[in-house]
Amino acid sequence: MSSRFWRWYADRQFHKWEKTVLWDMVEPYRPPRSFAPLVGTYVAAFYTGVVGAAVTEQLYKEKYWEDHPGEAVPIMPPKFYWGPWRVMNGEVPRFIQPPEEAKTA
């Protein structure tokens, strides 16, 4: 029984290269892989971010309304941006506004 097993194993090892030669010949004729799963993953990730941002902003507004009832909610500061942020106290500064809007403010 064991000698039959070793004969099978030896044949398998010896003929393994034939399988690779066959598949190496067929490989160039295979159709290319589809990008659909990758695109689907990217679309799902994008919309997950959109929904997450909407939920975060809504929670920010509700918390602000609890602390300051009846007031207008200022613009939410960016979460993951630590550079200069040109919105002061929820309003765009006058030097950034277009001239016609800056006159009325």
Side-chain angles (χ1 to χ4, degrees):
M1 176 69 180
S2 86
S3 63
R4 203 162 82 194
F5 169 76
W6 288 113
R7 177 79 264 159
W8 170 81
Y9 179 73
D11 288 342
R12 183 177 166 88
Q13 289 296 96
F14 181 75
H15 296 295
K16 192 186 288 185
W17 67 272
E18 292 177 354
K19 293 180 188 174
T20 62
V21 168
L22 174 66
W23 287 113
D24 289 344
M25 289 188 304
V26 172
E27 186 74 33
Y29 300 103
R30 285 188 177 173
R33 285 192 169 173
S34 173
F35 282 110
L38 184 65
V39 171
T41 302
Y42 284 166
V43 168
F46 173 78
Y47 282 110
T48 301
V50 168
V51 170
V55 167
T56 303
E57 189 167 2
Q58 186 62 33
L59 291 173
Y60 167 78
K61 287 180 179 181
E62 289 175 6
K63 185 174 184 312
Y64 189 86
W65 284 329
E66 286 177 5
D67 298 339
H68 308 91
E71 293 183 22
V73 180
I75 297 173
M76 188 174 103
K79 286 268 185 206
F80 301 108
Y81 176 70
W82 296 277
W85 189 51
R86 298 224 174 206
V87 177
M88 300 171 190
N89 297 329
E91 297 178 5
V92 179
R94 298 181 92 184
F95 59 87
I96 296 178
Q97 292 177 346
E100 57 275 355
E101 288 182 21
K103 290 177 187 171
T104 60

